[in-house]
Amino acid sequence: MKLTSIYDTYTLNNGVKIPCVAFGTYKAAQGDNVEILKTAIESGYRYFDTASFYGTEKYLGQAVRESGIPREEFFIASKMWKDEMGYEEAKEAFLRSLENLGMDYLDLYLIHWPLPEPDCETWKALDIETWKALEKLYEEGKIKAIGLSNFLPHHIENLLGNCRIKPMVDQIEFHPGYHQAAAVQYCQEHEIQVQAWSPIGRGRVLEDAMIVRMASKYGVSPAQICLRYALQRGVIPLPKSSSPERMRQNQDLFSFEISKEDMYRIDTMPQTGWSGEHPDRERVRF
Ligand SMILES: NC(=O)c1ccc[n+]([C@@H]2O[C@H](COP(=O)([O-])OP(=O)(O)OC[C@H]3O[C@@H](n4cnc5c(N)ncnc54)[C@H](OP(=O)(O)O)[C@@H]3O)[C@@H](O)[C@H]2O)c1
């Protein structure tokens, strides 16, 4: 499918259409105000990725309301945090998110991590209980699509063997230098749409010599190479920026195409810019 703008969509496995680029809201309300989010709406973004953990839900809700643009024109996604897992806990977490946002439905709701802690021995049962709550909320029509974040194939297998409704999305760390090929392949084989968090490696891959050379070759910025790489792998990037210029630049991804050879070069570059986060391990701090 040829994508031509951030408003083009993928179709999730339940038929819901999801825009091919989102705006990430982690740290997008610093100083406790809505200005960055309002600017992101003005610059054209309609798909926003938030989470209870980010503290941005209420600012996002305010920015959406004050934009004057109908709620239905937005695609709003949130996630429950690690300490909100469990059947009742997940339902309560969802209601808190709705209240923070001041909305009566979500387009997408995700389980943020498969394990509350890497050494959690009861994670399989906990994931199933949590997922059952999402299935219920989905069936009640309060969420248009439900999914996962940071789930690897073995975590997803546990759910697939025990759920009625297949997850529609998995949001994982994905950028040049850390593209989790096994997880992406698994999701794509199971019709689970992959999304890229930290699609530009939170800035950590922008000075990689090969990425810089490619940016110059295609006449774009290193960040645009990272975002275009995600699109060409069928992955939805969720870039965050606080600058209007970079917000616009991060939407300008459709007038160039990375060649097959260069895609393979990015696929096979050494690990670069990994956040240090892995659901089954303690966080590595660099
Ligand atoms: N599910 C999860 O566990 C998880 C984890 C992390 C993140 N996320 C989601 O993914 C979103 C994006 O990830 P992220 O915020 O970690 O990182 P990111 O989007 O990869 O990078 C954001 C950083 O890159 C800079 N930047 C943005 N556009 C740029 C450009 N065109 N040129 C140069 N620098 C640019 C930003 O600076 P300025 O702001 O100064 O422009 C910011 O410092 C988050 O906001 C969140 O919604 C999810």
Side-chain angles (χ1 to χ4, degrees):
M1 181 181 60
K2 186 164 164 50
L3 299 170
T4 57
S5 83
I6 64 161
Y7 307 112
D8 281 353
T9 55
Y10 294 107
T11 303
L12 299 177
N13 66 33
N14 65 340
V16 164
K17 297 210 181 300
I18 185 167
C20 65
V21 176
F23 184 81
T25 70
Y26 181 57
K27 297 201 170 162
Q30 275 176 329
D32 288 349
N33 67 60
V34 294
E35 294 316 313
I36 290 176
L37 294 160
K38 282 187 169 175
T39 308
I41 294 173
E42 279 160 22
S43 85
Y45 291 97
R46 293 293 177 269
Y47 174 4
F48 287 84
D49 178 78
T50 184
S52 60
F53 180 71
Y54 301 167
T56 45
E57 288 175 323
K58 74 174 178 178
Y59 301 108
L60 177 59
Q62 184 186 343
V64 166
R65 279 190 301 283
E66 291 179 3
S67 72
I69 298 167
R71 163 69 182 90
E72 307 71 55
E73 290 186 25
F74 289 90
F75 190 101
I76 305 293
S78 193
K79 325 179 189 73
M80 79 184 65
W81 188 237
K82 298 172 184 180
D83 60 6
E84 295 172 316
M85 295 170 75
Y87 187 77
E88 291 303 331
E89 292 85 344
K91 284 166 78 177
E92 285 163 19
F94 170 74
L95 291 177
R96 272 195 300 277
S97 283
L98 270 193
E99 194 180 327
N100 285 337
L101 285 155
M103 295 177 181
D104 53 12
Y105 73 95
L106 281 187
D107 295 281
L108 178 64
Y109 193 54
L110 309 177
I111 306 178
H112 212 137
W113 291 89
L115 291 80
E117 300 295 337
D119 61 358
C120 173
E121 289 177 2
T122 55
W123 67 269
K124 288 189 175 175
L126 188 59
D127 282 2
I128 292 165
E129 283 306 299
T130 307
W131 186 253
K132 284 187 174 151
L134 266 62
E135 289 180 328
K136 178 101 171 82
L137 293 164
Y138 172 74
E139 285 174 335
E140 288 171 358
K142 293 178 177 141
I143 317 173
K144 307 258 185 225
I146 50 179
L148 312 169
S149 179
N150 298 299
F151 277 58
L152 300 175
H154 51 288
H155 306 122
I156 303 175
E157 289 272 289
N158 171 52
L159 278 189
L160 292 186
N162 292 286
C163 68
R164 287 181 295 112
I165 301 172
K166 188 161 135 175
M168 290 128 209
V169 162
D170 191 17
Q171 182 179 123
I172 57 176
E173 181 173 356
F174 177 101
H175 50 76
Y178 196 76
H179 59 84
Q180 307 212 64
V184 172
Q185 185 183 345
Y186 179 91
C187 286
Q188 291 181 341
E189 283 170 5
H190 288 81
E191 298 178 301
I192 297 171
Q193 174 66 51
V194 181
Q195 309 187 321
W197 65 255
S198 291
I200 51 181
R202 216 171 275 176
R204 291 181 298 269
V205 289
L206 299 181
E207 287 173 17
D208 177 84
M210 185 187 75
I211 298 296
V212 169
R213 266 198 312 277
M214 276 189 200
S216 156
K217 172 178 165 182
Y218 291 96
V220 296
S221 73
Q224 287 168 301
I225 292 289
C226 296
L227 298 171
R228 180 74 202 182
Y229 172 67
L231 287 180
Q232 287 186 221
R233 283 282 170 261
V235 171
I236 297 176
L238 325 164
K240 173 262 170 187
S241 177
S242 47
S243 123
E245 197 278 325
R246 289 192 287 276
M247 286 177 190
R248 279 192 296 275
Q249 185 192 110
N250 295 346
Q251 299 177 48
D252 181 9
L253 308 172
F254 304 93
S255 57
F256 69 105
E257 185 169 354
I258 302 173
S259 71
K260 194 172 170 187
E261 176 183 328
D262 288 339
M263 287 297 286
Y264 283 136
R265 285 184 194 279
I266 301 176
D267 283 341
T268 54
M269 68 192 273
Q271 181 171 302
T272 308
W274 176 43
S275 65
E277 298 198 76
H278 186 289
D280 296 334
R281 295 173 181 237
E282 290 298 334
R283 181 166 188 181
V284 178
R285 306 242 170 220
F286 299 104

